[in-house]
Amino acid sequence: MIARWAGHRLATGGLIDRNVVLTFEFNGKTYAGFAGDTLASALLANGVRIVGRSFKYHRPRGIVGAGVEEPNALVQLGTGKETTPNLRATEIFLFDGLVANSVNCWPSVRFDVGIINNFFSRFLPAGFYYKTFMWPTWHLYEWAIRRAAGLGKAPTDPDHTLYEARYDHCDVLVIGGGPAGLTAARAAALKGCRVMLVEQDRQLGGRLLWDETSVDSLPGRAWISGVNNSLADAEASVLTSTTAVGYFDHNSVLLIEQLDQGAEHNRSTFPQQRLRHVRAKRIILAAGALERPLVFAGNDRPGVMLSWAVRQYIGRFAVRPGNQAVVFTNNDDAYCTASAFANAGGKVAAIVDTRATPPSALLEQMALVKIPVFTGSSVVSTGGLRGLRSVSIEDRSGRHLTVKCDLLAISGGFNPTVQLFCQSGGRTEFDSDGALFKPSNSAQAEVSIGAAAGTLGLRQSLLDAHAAGLDAAARCGSRASRQGIFAPFAQGEAPTLQAKWMIGKARGKSFVDFQNDVTVDDIALSVREGFHSIEHLKRYTTLGMAPDQGKISNVNAAAIMSTMTDRGIEQVGTTKYRFPFIPVTFGALAGNIRGDAFRPIRRLPCHDEHIVANGRLEDYSGWLRPAFYPRESESLEEAVRREALCVRKSVGLFDSSSLGKIEIKGPDAAIFLDRVYANTISTLKPGRLRYGLMLNELGVIIDDGVAARLADDHFLVSTTSGGAGRIANWLEEWLQCEWPQLRVVVAPVTTSWAVLALSGPACRAVLNAVGTDVSLAPDDFPHMAYREGLVDGIAARLARVSYSGELTYEISVACSRAPALWRKLLDVGSRYGIQPVGVEACLRLRLEKGYLLVGADTDGTTNPIDVGWGHVLNRRDDFIGRRSLLRPNDRRDNRLELVGLEATDSKVLYNGTQLLSRNSSGRGPSEGYVTSSGYSPSLRRGVALAMLRSGRRRIGESVVALSDGRQVDARVTALTSYDPRGERIND
Amino acid sequence: MLLIECPWCGPRDEIEYRFGGQSHVVRPAKPDEATDDEWAAYLFWRINTKGPHAERWVHEAGCGCWFNVIRDTVNHEIVATYRMGQTPPLQMARGKTS
C-alpha cells in the first residue's frame, strides 16, 4: 500500500531559495512555495495533482512537463482586468500573491460537469461537428457549443499594460542559452564579434540547471557562471526571459522579452514586455530538444509525466513528484530518471523498456540498485481514479501484471526544436538513429547546434557548438586571435533508442495531442475518411492546433500516420511551422503604436484659433479640422445651415490649409501636367487657374483640384486633403519610372502654406478692409485668376476660386503668420457679419452647386465621362487613362452618370438610397444610388446628387427612391441646383 | 522582414519601402494604336514568376527614389538591385548572403 499521494519537497538541493517563502492561490486555495519555484513545481510540492481539465472530454489532467512543452497545466493568471488566460504553469515563476485558476472546468477542477463529454466521447470524435448537430439547423446548437468551446477567459477590459519595442543589430545571434548556446556565444564573442545571446528561461544553463553533469571539470552551474563572465567581458548582450518567437526574411528575428517577472511594478507605467526586432549577420539556433511521450491507453492520467520533466523537478526545484515510480521508455535517457528518483528517496518499482535488448551497461546498473527492468515490454494501461495508482504491464511473453505506482515517467525520445529553423525556410530530414526530424538544408545564414541539430550527446554537442561559434565569427569577418579559446569538454553520449510509436490496442484512450484531446483513434478515423496528408490530418483532427502547437505531439502523429498509411515517416513529414513559437500578447506586438500614436493626426496652422471659435474638431482624412462652430446649444445641422447661409448672404471664413499643394517646376512642367490631367493644362496662361481631373491608367478619377500657372515653367497644383501625399507620390512615380527625360521637379508644399478662404458677397470688402496691394477689381482679378502680393503686410498668394459658388478669395500665407491673419479677418469682417465656416457647411454649399466630391460622388469605377467630362476625349494628345476610356465597357451606353435629384416632397433623401425606375413596382433592379444628400438652406429643400443609369438622358424624368423604408418619387435634374448659371461666382 | 539595399541609401528594412509591382512593364508608345488586348496586357497581365523576379520598389521613408530589385519569390533572396532605367544585370551567383 503506497502512501497517499503527495508531492515531496526535498530537504536540500535545487535552485530554490528556501529562505524566501511565497504565498499563492490556486483555484481558491492558498499554498506556499519558494523563490525560484515555478507555479508548477510549487503545485507539485504541495501535492496538487489535478491542475486542469482537457479541452474536449474534460478529463482530469496533471502536470506532464517542466517547460514550454507543457500541454495540460494551462492556467488563468490573475483576476479582473489584468487576467491572462492560458499561460503554462511551468513557465510562470512564483511571486508573492500570485492568483491562478484552472481553465476549462466548472464548477471546479476536481468536480467538473464537463466530464459528461467523456462519457459521450463516442459521439465526439474528430470532426464530429461536420457530421452532427446539423438538424434542423446548426444554429440550434451553436450557442451551447460556443459556450463550451475555448480555453480560458479573455479579459473584458482594455489592456492598459505598457509595452516597448526596439530594434537590435548584431553580428551573431545565438538563440538558446543551454550548454551549446553558451559555448557558441562565448567562442564568437571572444573572437571579437558583437554577440547577442537569448534564453527563454530566467536563468542560463538549459539542462545544466537540473542535470548533474560537469563541464571542463566544473559543476554545471559553476561553468555557466564562468561563461557568463566571459560574455560580459566581451560585451556580449545576454538576455534571459527572452523568447525568439519568429524567424523572418534575411535573418530578422522577433524576440519577446519578459520584463517585470516579480510583478512588482504597476503594469501601466512599467513596461511588462519588450518586443525586439533583431537583424543578425549570422544566427546560431541552439534551442535544444523536447521530449516526446509514448502513446498508450490511459497515457493522460494525472501522474503520468515526461521522464526528463521528473528529473527537472528533482534537480532544479527539489520536488519529487511521487513516492513510487514506474519508468516507461524506448531509450537510454529515462534510466537517468530512475537513478535520480531513487537518489531523491523515491522507490522505482520497475523500468519498462520496449526494447528487447537495451544496453547491458544500463541493465547492470539497475541490477546493482535492485530496480527491476522489464525488457521487450510495454505499459498497456493505467489505473486510478483521481490520479495514477497503478499501471498494467505486458511483458515480453505476453503476460500481464499490475504494478502499483503514483508516478509513471515516460520517454518516447526527443524532438529537436526545429520550429524557428523551419520558419527560416530550412528543410528537415528524418534521422532514423534518433527517430527524429533534424535540420538539413539551411535557407538563410544560420546553423543549428546541439540537441536542436539532433546532436543529443553533450560531448559532441559542445565540440560542434564551439566550432559553430568560431565559424560564425569568421564569416562575420572577425580577425581576433584564436589563442586561449578551447572547446569545453563534458561526458555524455546520445541515448540509444528504438522507435515505438504506438503501444497495443488496449481499452481506453491513447492520447497523441493532450491539449486538443486527439487520440490514436482520431488519426485512424482521419485515414479512413481519406485525409492522408499531414496538413489534412491536422485540420481534420485539430492535432497540433492548440496553443502548444503540437510541440510534443507532431512527430508522434506523423509516425502513427505513416504506420497507418504504409509510408515512410519522412514522406508524411510534419506540418508547416509558423510564427509565433509560443503565444504572444497582441499588446506586445502593438507596442506603443496604439491610441493617439496609432495614426498621428495632423493639425491645422490655425488649430488654436478654431478652438477659441468653439470649433468642433473631427478627423478628416488624418487632419483635425473644424466640422462646425456651434453657437450656444446648436446642433450640427443648425450650425451648418447658419454657416452656409452666412456665406451666401454676407461672408464666411474657412480654413482650407489641409488641401494638398504641389509645386511643379521646370521647362517640361506644362507637358507633364497635360499628361497627368484628363483636361489640357498647357493652354493655361500665367496668372490663371483651371480645375482638372486626374485619372489613373484605368481611366478612373483618382483626384481633382485646381491648377494655377505661376509662370511658363511653374505651376501650383491643388489636390484633395486626403490626396496630398498620394498624388505627389503618383507624380513622382510617373516622372522617375516612365518619363525620366522630362525636365521637371515636383515639390509638395502642403504644410508650407496656410490657406484661409473668404467666401461670400462681402468678401471683397473684407479683404480690402484688411488691406492688400492686389487690385480686387473684377477686371483686374477675374474669377479663376491667381495673384501674388501682400495681405495685411504679409506676403501672400491669392487665388479667386470657389467651392461654395460665391465670390471667394483663397489667401495663402506662411503657416506662422496664419493665426494672426485669421484673427484680423474675423475682427475686420465683423461689421460685415463674418462667421467662421466649418467643413460640413462647406460641403453643404458645394452640394447646392453640384460640385464633385471625389470619393463620395465617384468610386473606383467612375470615369470622367460619367461625371459629364466627355470633352476630354476631344483631346488629340495622350494622357494617363485616355486609352482606357476607349474600351468597350467605358463606352457602354447605359453607364451610371452623375445627376441631381430632387424629391417631389422636397424632403432630404437618405445617402446611399437606391433608385429604381417608375415601372419596376418597387423591386428592382437598382438603377443607381444617391451619392451625396442634404438640406439646402438656400433653396429650403433637400438636394441630392446621384449616380443613375444613363442619368443625363433622363433629366426631367422621375425615378423612385427607396429612402429609409419608404418609396419616394424624385425628379432627375441637372447637377447644379443653386445659381445654375454661376452668376454669383463671376461677380 | 526583407532587407533591401537602396542604390542610394544602402541596406534598409522593408518597412521603409513601398512595393511597386513587376518591373519593365512597357507602356505602349502609342496607346491609341494599341488594341484592347495589348492595352489589357499592359494594365493587367503580369508574369507571377516562381524564382528571380524583377520588381519595382520606392524608398518612400527615405530618399524617395524608385529602383528595381531582383528578388527570388521562393526564398526572398535579393539577387540584385539596380536603378530605374538601367537594364537588369545578369543574375548574380548565389552565396551573396554568406
Side-chain angles (χ1 to χ4, degrees), chain A residues 500-613:
Chain A
K500 182 87 172 171
W501 302 109
M502 270 193 300
I503 285 98
K505 274 195 190 254
R507 311 212 58 177
K509 296 196 177 338
S510 301
F511 283 88
V512 184
D513 183 331
F514 293 109
Q515 203 161 80
N516 259 1
D517 266 349
V518 181
T519 63
V520 169
D521 286 348
D522 291 323
I523 300 180
L525 174 63
S526 175
V527 172
R528 279 204 305 280
E529 302 268 320
F531 297 107
H532 292 193
S533 145
I534 193 74
E535 298 281 4
H536 280 155
L537 170 69
K538 173 180 175 178
R539 274 74 181 183
Y540 187 69
T541 63
T542 75
L543 188 150
M545 293 179 71
D548 71 348
Q549 291 286 285
K551 285 181 176 59
I552 60 173
S553 53
N554 282 338
V555 176
N556 283 343
I560 293 169
M561 173 62 103
S562 76
T563 315
M564 290 183 178
T565 55
D566 207 23
R567 289 176 288 173
I569 190 174
E570 57 278 6
Q571 283 171 291
V572 175
T574 51
T575 55
K576 189 166 171 64
Y577 293 112
R578 295 188 174 92
F579 159 87
F581 174 65
I582 51 166
V584 171
T585 304
F586 277 114
L589 297 174
N592 46 17
I593 306 179
R594 48 195 285 188
D596 284 341
F598 181 73
R599 188 182 68 152
I601 201 147
R602 310 173 83 169
R603 297 182 174 185
L604 301 170
C606 287
H607 177 82
D608 293 339
E609 304 305 322
H610 297 308
I611 294 176
V612 164

Side-chain angles (χ1 to χ4, degrees), chain B residues 5-19:
Chain B
E5 189 156 345
C6 169
W8 290 269
C9 304
R12 293 288 189 278
D13 270 355
E14 178 183 344
I15 206 166
E16 294 190 14
Y17 301 93
R18 182 165 54 93
F19 178 68

